[in-house]
Amino acid sequence: MFRLYHWPLDPAGRLVRLVLAEKGEVFETILSPAWMPRPEVVAIAPGAVTPALIALEGPHPFAASGTRAICEHLEETRPAPALLPEDPCERAEARRLWAWVEAGMEEVTDTLLTERVMQWVRRDRQPDSEKLRRGVHALRGRLTFLNALAEQSGYLAGRQLSIADLAAAAHLSAYDYFGDVQWDAVPDLKAWYMRVKSRPSFRPLLTDRLEAARPSPHYADLDF
Amino acid sequence: MFRLYHWPLDPAGRLVRLVLAEKGEVFETILSPAWMPRPEVVAIAPGAVTPALIALEGPHPFAASGTRAICEHLEETRPAPALLPEDPCERAEARRLWAWVEAGMEEVTDTLLTERVMQWVRRDRQPDSEKLRRGVHALRGRLTFLNALAEQSGYLAGRQLSIADLAAAAHLSAYDYFGDVQWDAVPDLKAWYMRVKSRPSFRPLLTDRLEAARPSPHYADLDF
């Protein structure tokens, strides 16, 4: 049994929720927005941020912050079902793409997603149109790359679902909440997303609703 | 026996060289600057970049790109000496800080280090003083954080050297080549760097010399 500190539309928290669910782990969630983190998160380590995971039972208290620390721990301690391929080359490729998604999508999250959150959730200010424009442009480039991978072999890092798929879907699902993913331009990626979105692990993400903003009409639609 | 494609002052390539050396692995290096990558790197996977590692022997050809894929592979297949702590909490903390270093230092690398390389190595243009200023400012903040960690327990993620230390030292050593690290402002980090810098694995990095630019006077000095 775990406790996860997260904010529902944060792509990093979404990845951890997907990995926990794929591994069949039971967990409760506690809201901890980046702009108002819970003291339990801050207490984990200097500079710790969400997503943060705490084990509620077991002889040794486990606490970790960040997707790399949390997901590698879950893969090491709960190897079945595997979310990294066994073959060393494919395993390296899944980790390369996972890292690519996190580094490459950061620009999109920092511009497009952050501006949407400012606009609808925090209602701090009108969105910065220059940032939105940069975010849309950056996202388009990332989608083209991911579409080419999905076309090649069905999943991003080969023929099986891996943490690279979950990381990419976690990010895209957050942008999709605000209707910012132009799926029709990337048909192979759209087919891939329909498959990933249909997994039981994805269901809780699709029922997320922010009080301040309704999701785009196709957000929870499995056949969009 | 491995072959590493890298560029000597790239912090990511430096981390892989340190991990290979700490693990006692023999490897040859081939220059592959980001602005003119070797075809063997590009052939690994769509969008593959340096550092890229290829195994030259063994039944299955191994090839990987990027620090997360390469270093996790080396830790999995060559567990001794361990560069991630055994205790799950400390292991997670080492991975959190490793991820923090790579994400947090990216801004410094993209501004300060890139401008130095443009200035001295490629001789493309005079450095952009606004970018240099931003890089210096970002580096100062990162140094303060790392100094607090070094003060706490000797190494960044506890009492033992981990991949978090090697990642941080790989980045700082590249900035230090151009004399951009103000060590006197961070005495605990300076003491930590002297210890890491004195390791045999570090020696090859300290003998790196760019034809176009000599290193700062204290670059290779173990007692600076």
Side-chain angles (χ1 to χ4, degrees):
Chain A
M1 174 80 185
F2 288 105
R3 180 176 292 154
L4 173 69
Y5 294 85
H6 79 136
W7 190 71
L9 286 196
D10 173 26
R14 299 197 138 209
L15 170 59
V16 174
R17 288 159 74 192
L18 290 173
V19 170
L20 283 167
E22 289 286 341
K23 299 280 185 192
E25 290 294 324
V26 179
F27 62 102
E28 59 180 42
T29 57
I30 292 190
L31 289 187
S32 177
W35 56 90
M36 212 169 48
R38 304 270 302 198
E40 304 93 296
V41 174
V42 179
I44 291 177
V49 293
T50 51
L53 191 71
I54 292 180
L56 298 179
E57 51 207 23
H60 301 293
F62 175 77
S65 147
T67 57
R68 194 184 312 193
I70 294 171
C71 299
E72 291 281 1
H73 170 78
L74 293 171
E75 188 68 13
E76 281 174 347
T77 54
R78 287 137 179 95
L83 294 176
L84 287 172
E86 205 179 325
D87 173 81
C89 266
E90 293 174 14
R91 196 173 176 84
E93 179 62 1
R95 282 199 176 106
R96 177 184 79 92
L97 288 172
W98 173 21
W100 180 88
V101 165
E102 293 189 338
M105 294 290 189
E106 201 184 352
E107 190 186 351
V108 183
T109 299
D110 286 353
T111 52
L112 193 55
L113 185 62
T114 301
E115 290 302 310
R116 296 296 186 211
V117 170
M118 292 292 188
Q119 176 181 8
W120 297 109
V121 183
R122 299 192 52 186
R123 295 186 185 270
D124 278 16
R125 52 174 169 77
Q126 279 298 301
D128 178 332
S129 60
E130 168 56 21
K131 277 200 180 169
L132 284 182
R133 200 195 54 74
R134 275 201 288 134
V136 167
H137 179 78
L139 178 56
R140 199 178 298 142
R142 310 299 187 276
L143 290 176
T144 305
F145 178 71
L146 291 174
N147 190 59
L149 293 177
E151 188 189 359
Q152 214 171 41
S153 46
Y155 287 102
L156 299 182
R159 289 174 186 216
Q160 287 191 319
L161 179 98
S162 78
I163 202 162
D165 298 284
L166 299 180
H171 283 79
L172 297 182
S173 67
Y175 312 149
D176 199 40
Y177 188 92
F178 296 106
D180 281 322
V181 182
Q182 301 302 312
W183 292 111
D184 288 341
V186 283
D188 293 297
L189 192 66
K190 186 179 177 178
W192 160 88
Y193 188 57
M194 280 171 69
R195 282 202 304 284
V196 179
K197 196 179 180 178
S198 304
R199 299 181 73 85
S201 65
F202 229 83
R203 242 173 259 153
L205 276 63
L206 300 179
T207 60
D208 281 346
R209 289 293 176 278
L210 298 179
E211 208 181 309
R214 293 165 61 93
S216 62
H218 63 267
Y219 173 69
D221 191 353
L222 295 183
D223 188 18
F224 56 106
Chain B
M1 175 81 184
F2 287 105
R3 179 177 291 156
L4 173 70
Y5 294 86
H6 78 136
W7 190 70
L9 285 196
D10 173 25
R14 298 197 139 209
L15 169 58
V16 174
R17 289 160 73 192
L18 290 173
V19 170
L20 284 166
E22 290 286 340
K23 299 281 184 191
E25 290 293 323
V26 179
F27 61 102
E28 60 180 40
T29 56
I30 292 191
L31 288 187
S32 177
W35 56 89
M36 212 168 49
R38 304 271 301 197
E40 304 93 296
V41 174
V42 179
I44 291 178
V49 294
T50 51
L53 191 70
I54 291 178
L56 298 178
E57 52 206 22
H60 302 290
F62 175 78
S65 148
T67 56
R68 194 184 312 190
I70 294 171
C71 298
E72 292 281 0
H73 170 79
L74 292 171
E75 188 69 12
E76 280 173 349
T77 54
R78 289 141 178 91
L83 294 176
L84 288 171
E86 206 179 325
D87 173 79
C89 267
E90 292 175 15
R91 196 171 176 86
E93 179 61 3
R95 282 200 176 107
R96 177 184 79 93
L97 289 171
W98 174 20
W100 180 89
V101 165
E102 293 189 339
M105 294 289 189
E106 201 183 352
E107 190 185 350
V108 183
T109 299
D110 286 353
T111 52
L112 192 54
L113 185 62
T114 301
E115 290 302 311
R116 296 296 186 212
V117 170
M118 292 292 188
Q119 176 182 9
W120 296 110
V121 182
R122 299 191 53 185
R123 295 186 186 269
D124 278 16
R125 51 175 171 76
Q126 278 299 300
D128 177 332
S129 61
E130 168 57 21
K131 276 199 182 172
L132 284 182
R133 199 195 54 74
R134 274 201 289 135
V136 167
H137 179 78
L139 178 56
R140 199 178 300 141
R142 311 299 187 274
L143 290 175
T144 305
F145 178 71
L146 292 174
N147 190 60
L149 292 177
E151 188 188 0
Q152 213 170 42
S153 45
Y155 287 103
L156 299 183
R159 290 176 185 215
Q160 286 192 318
L161 179 97
S162 78
I163 202 164
D165 298 285
L166 299 181
H171 282 80
L172 296 181
S173 67
Y175 312 148
D176 199 41
Y177 189 92
F178 295 108
D180 281 322
V181 183
Q182 302 304 312
W183 291 110
D184 288 341
V186 283
D188 293 296
L189 192 66
K190 185 178 178 179
W192 161 87
Y193 188 58
M194 281 171 69
R195 283 202 304 283
V196 180
K197 196 178 180 179
S198 303
R199 300 181 72 85
S201 65
F202 228 86
R203 241 173 260 151
L205 275 64
L206 299 178
T207 60
D208 281 346
R209 289 293 177 276
L210 299 178
E211 209 180 306
R214 293 166 60 94
S216 62
H218 63 267
Y219 173 69
D221 191 351
L222 295 183
D223 187 20
F224 58 106

